[in-house]
């Protein structure tokens, strides 16, 4: 078994995730190419300086704008929203292969509806399908069938909304569009090609599917270990016994490469087809702002092990217990996390776009312990803010940014 240094592991992950500033991924085609590689980016609706998928893509795709992802999802239908690692965005061509995930999800939803006293929602499915067929795409707030329900803090307040969610996860409904964070539902038969919807599940057994699905999840990150964590959220892959068996099978058949990393007791895994990236340095003097749910940092334990960077997304942490701030973004420089910062929320209009007089502001900036701040580093971070402001469609003050960077203290 090959042993690599942590430096090599970091370089591999940065290069694999296209965070190296090589500029090869550009615009709409760049988004498609990245999605073909990773197959999944996690969705989250919070929008301080962009939603999580947009933050993931802005750090990898030259000239990225949120409209590119919106069009690929809701106009071209090259991508679609679905359960994968939580709720995610995935290529439409994966739809037939994800049949088992849809089935597992609705089985789980039945249990959740039972806990939330909302099982009566399943009696409304045909009526809701008929309503959408007759009236066209509809958001949940336009459908009032079946009355309200006391479903607890996290449940739907209307039975019709719970039924819509069930139909969506089963694949009967898809998302026609979005109004800010609100889904507009339509029948999948009206959204997706018939050959996609009627295609046969390519996997005969659960085992065959699980093996494909696990390797696909590895491809979403690049390099993983076999420890429970964020990478392994979801059906099949969260089963540590099954996962261990599948990893061994994939290594034995040559689909995965097993590695050791100096200083770690764990075994790590990459796909065989990505092995040629091992040993390649990160060449560019580049800084990137990383999304809170970025593919690179799905597994916070692995990132702490390899990058010596401990990160917690504190949006759900009570304010008095936060170490940093509500919405904090890690800062990657070459192959190291050098800082983190809390941006001010960008003001938006009713169409969820940045208003004309918005500017990019830093509420707080923290350099990581042990980081030696150089002029080259400050220049790279300033350039990153320039790209970030262009992605957001807002202004920024270079002098103000430089002053904050050069005066900020380490935590």
């Amino acid at each position: 078994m090959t042993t690599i240094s942590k430096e090599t592991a970091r370089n591999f992950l940065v290069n694999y995730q296209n965070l190296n500033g090589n500029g090869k991924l550009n615009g709409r085609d760049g988004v498609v190419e990245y999605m073909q590689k990773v197959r999944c980016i996690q969705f989250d609706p919070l929008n301080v300086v962009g939603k999580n998928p947009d933050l993931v893509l802005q750090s990898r795709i030259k000239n990225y704008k949120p409209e590119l992802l919106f069009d690929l999802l809701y106009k071209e239908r090259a991508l679609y929203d679905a359960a994968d690692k939580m709720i995610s965005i995935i290529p439409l061509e994966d739809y037939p292969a994800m049949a088992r995930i849809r089935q597992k999800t609705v089985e789980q939803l039945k249990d959740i509806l039972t806990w939330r006293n909302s099982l009566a929602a399943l009696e409304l499915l045909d009526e809701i399908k008929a309503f959408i067929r007759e009236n066209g795409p509809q958001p949940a707030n336009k459908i009032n069938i079946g009355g309200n329900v006391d479903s607890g803090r996290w449940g739907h307040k209307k039975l019709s909304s719970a039924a819509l969610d069930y139909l969506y996860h089963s694949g009967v409904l898809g998302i026609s569009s979005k109004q800010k964070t609100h889904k507009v539902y339509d029948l999948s038969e009206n959204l997706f090609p018939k050959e996609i919807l009627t295609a046969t599940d390519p996997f005969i057994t659960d085992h065959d599917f699980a093996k494909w699905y696990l390797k696909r999840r590895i491809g979403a990150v690049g390099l993983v270990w076999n420890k429970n964590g964020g990478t392994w959220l979801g059906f099949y892959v969260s089963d540590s016994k099954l996962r261990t068996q599948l990893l061994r099978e994939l290594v034995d058949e040559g689909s995965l490469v097993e590695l050791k990393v100096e200083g770690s007791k764990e075994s790590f895994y990459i796909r065989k087809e990505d092995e040629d990236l091992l040993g390649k340095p990160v060449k560019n003097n580049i800084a990137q702002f990383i999304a809170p749910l970025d593919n690179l940092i799905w597994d916070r334990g692995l990132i702490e092990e390899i990058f010596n960077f401990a990160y917690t997304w504190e949006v759900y942490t009570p304010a008095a217990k936060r170490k940093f701030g509500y919405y904090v973004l890690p800062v990657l420089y070459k192959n190291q996390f050098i800082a983190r910062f809390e941006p001010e929320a960008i003001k938006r209009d009713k169409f969820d776009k940045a208003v004309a007089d918005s500017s990019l502001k830093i509420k707080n900036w923290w350099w990581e312990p042990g980081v030696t701040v150089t002029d080259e580093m400050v220049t790279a971070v300033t350039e990153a803010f320039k790209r970030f402001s262009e992605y957001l469609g807002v202004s920024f003050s270079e002098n103000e940014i430089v002053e904050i960077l050069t005066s900020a203290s380490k935590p």
Side-chain angles (χ1 to χ4, degrees), residues 18 51 53 121 124 185 187 191-192 221 251 257-258 275 307 310 350 354 374 383 385 405:
N18 297 97
K51 301 182 184 72
L124 308 177
Y185 298 96
L187 297 169
L191 301 176
F192 306 132
V221 178
V251 169
V257 177
E258 187 174 5
E275 192 175 18
F307 288 83
K350 64 180 180 179
T374 65
E383 285 296 313
F385 271 109
L405 298 182

Side-chain angles (χ1 to χ4, degrees), residues 267-408:
S267 291
F268 295 78
Y269 303 88
I270 64 173
R271 301 183 304 179
K272 178 64 176 178
E273 56 264 39
D274 303 320
E275 192 175 18
D276 62 347
L277 279 178
L278 285 175
K280 292 188 176 180
V282 176
K283 296 181 179 179
N284 295 315
N285 189 45
I286 188 80
Q288 305 281 14
F289 303 146
I290 304 301
L293 300 173
D294 195 286
N295 296 46
L296 175 66
I297 59 172
W298 276 357
D299 192 316
R300 307 294 166 76
L302 183 146
I303 292 302
E304 187 167 4
E305 181 91 345
I306 293 177
F307 288 83
N308 194 30
F309 178 73
Y311 176 71
T312 300
W313 196 30
E314 297 181 301
V315 290
Y316 301 115
T317 303
K321 296 183 177 181
R322 289 177 192 144
K323 184 177 180 181
F324 293 99
Y326 170 71
Y327 201 96
V328 171
L329 302 181
V331 181
L332 183 73
Y333 175 66
K334 296 184 177 179
N335 69 355
Q336 289 280 10
F337 287 98
I338 59 164
R340 63 191 84 197
F341 77 101
E342 183 179 16
E344 287 190 6
I346 298 297
K347 295 181 289 183
R348 300 178 186 281
D349 63 20
K350 64 180 180 179
F351 301 107
D352 204 27
K353 295 181 179 179
V355 300
D357 62 346
S358 294
S359 60
L360 182 58
K361 301 284 187 181
I362 301 175
K363 292 176 69 175
N364 290 293
W365 179 276
W366 302 270
W367 293 106
E368 284 297 290
V371 168
T372 300
V373 182
T374 65
D375 291 343
E376 292 80 6
M377 188 181 292
V378 170
T379 298
V381 173
T382 305
E383 285 296 313
F385 271 109
K386 181 180 179 181
R387 296 192 306 273
F388 200 62
S389 65
E390 290 172 353
Y391 138 72
L392 290 167
V394 301
S395 62
F396 89 111
S397 168
E398 181 172 339
N399 290 337
E400 182 178 313
I401 296 294
V402 170
E403 182 178 350
I404 290 172
L405 298 182
T406 52
S407 63

